[in-house]
Amino acid sequence: MMKPVLYDYHRSSACYRVRIALNLKEVDYEPVTVNLLEGEQKAEAYRARNPQGFVPMLEADGHRLVQSLAIIDWLEAAFPEPALLPRDADDRAHVLAMALAVACDIHPLNNLRVLKYLSGPLGQPQDVRDAWYRHWVAEGLAALEEMAAARAGRFLFGDAPTLADVCLVPQLYNARRFEVALDPFPTLVRADAEANRIEAFAAAHPDRVAIPPRYGEG
Ligand SMILES: N[C@@H](CCC(=O)N[C@@H](CS)C(=O)NCC(=O)O)C(=O)O
């Protein structure tokens, strides 16, 4: 298989998930930056490849893959080890539920286009935009803390990282950037700290991602 190409933006939490999964599975990839702040995701050439105009997108093995969890699911099938989902049906549903609580219920309310719509067309000031962000993150993390607490080990589920941790770490990075208090979520903070001790997670951190060629330049 040729080296997969990841259309990436360092601070995108959906991209951050995919970078972690690629690193955990030791898949060497070529990153190409799509600069969200400059609107490169909306460029015609990019939208022709990904009609949603989102990052991440992974070109791999002749496929153009979009949606971070679909990309990670593809990676899980193509590179089964280490497994990010438990085999047992109950455990798997629990891990998926935690991952989806982040990816479907927290993140979409707080991504760039939603925040821009609040401050742009709806004319809301920065303090309202910040309050919106913090409200949905705090409410979502409170539920996740309860979901995780009973069955957490070193990580959100047991003693090895799963898809739930892959989704948690970028969300907590994001929450810290926007100064959300994390003291009420000790299980989440502990799992995040454990995960960040693993090089695959640490190397995917936005501050660690080398600046690759920009989309359209290479
Ligand atoms: N559900 C999608 C979400 C992707 C997404 O929201 N990506 C954001 C960055 S984290 C994006 O590309 N935003 C572009 C924009 O808001 O214009 C996934 O998991 O891949």
Side-chain angles (χ1 to χ4, degrees):
M1 189 192 295
M2 280 175 57
K3 221 187 209 188
V5 176
L6 176 65
Y7 292 83
D8 191 20
Y9 183 68
H10 63 304
R11 279 188 162 159
S12 151
S13 32
C15 291
Y16 191 176
R17 291 174 202 148
V18 173
R19 294 195 300 267
I20 295 168
L22 285 161
N23 292 348
L24 281 168
K25 290 176 180 293
E26 298 183 4
V27 178
D28 192 19
Y29 66 95
E30 184 191 327
V32 173
T33 293
V34 180
N35 191 326
L36 298 189
L37 295 183
E38 291 179 12
E40 290 177 352
Q41 74 279 21
K42 297 191 170 71
E44 210 177 304
Y46 186 75
R47 285 194 102 128
R49 296 179 185 196
N50 179 0
Q52 280 193 296
F54 288 157
V55 286
M57 175 169 72
L58 188 75
E59 286 182 342
D61 205 16
H63 304 292
R64 197 167 281 155
L65 308 165
V66 295
Q67 285 288 345
S68 60
L69 294 196
I71 296 170
I72 295 172
D73 186 60
W74 184 90
L75 289 169
E76 186 81 342
F79 306 95
E81 299 299 332
L84 296 175
L85 285 168
R87 290 229 172 80
D88 175 83
D90 294 340
D91 295 346
R92 184 185 166 97
H94 176 58
V95 167
L96 267 174
M98 290 191 286
L100 295 175
V102 173
C104 298
D105 297 329
I106 300 177
H107 176 258
L109 287 164
N110 297 298
N111 71 11
L112 187 62
R113 70 198 173 112
V114 171
L115 299 179
K116 275 171 100 173
Y117 188 70
L118 279 174
S119 49
L122 296 185
Q124 297 300 316
Q126 187 65 38
D127 60 329
V128 171
R129 180 172 147 153
D130 291 347
W132 167 280
Y133 178 92
R134 292 194 186 111
H135 171 77
W136 294 115
V137 170
E139 188 182 274
L141 292 181
L144 184 63
E145 171 71 25
E146 276 195 55
M147 288 164 85
R151 303 178 70 189
R154 286 174 51 218
F155 297 94
L156 282 187
F157 175 73
D159 291 325
T162 65
L163 183 64
D165 305 288
V166 169
C167 291
L168 173 74
V169 166
Q171 191 61 60
L172 289 201
Y173 159 78
N174 213 270
R176 288 188 182 102
R177 258 185 79 209
F178 288 87
E179 296 172 0
V180 175
L182 297 179
D183 308 344
F185 317 122
T187 311
L188 308 186
V189 169
R190 195 183 65 225
D192 175 67
E194 280 291 338
N196 279 310
R197 274 194 264 280
I198 299 173
E199 179 58 15
F201 280 83
H205 189 281
D207 295 346
R208 288 268 308 266
V209 178
I211 298 176
R214 294 160 65 89
Y215 177 69
E217 283 180 6

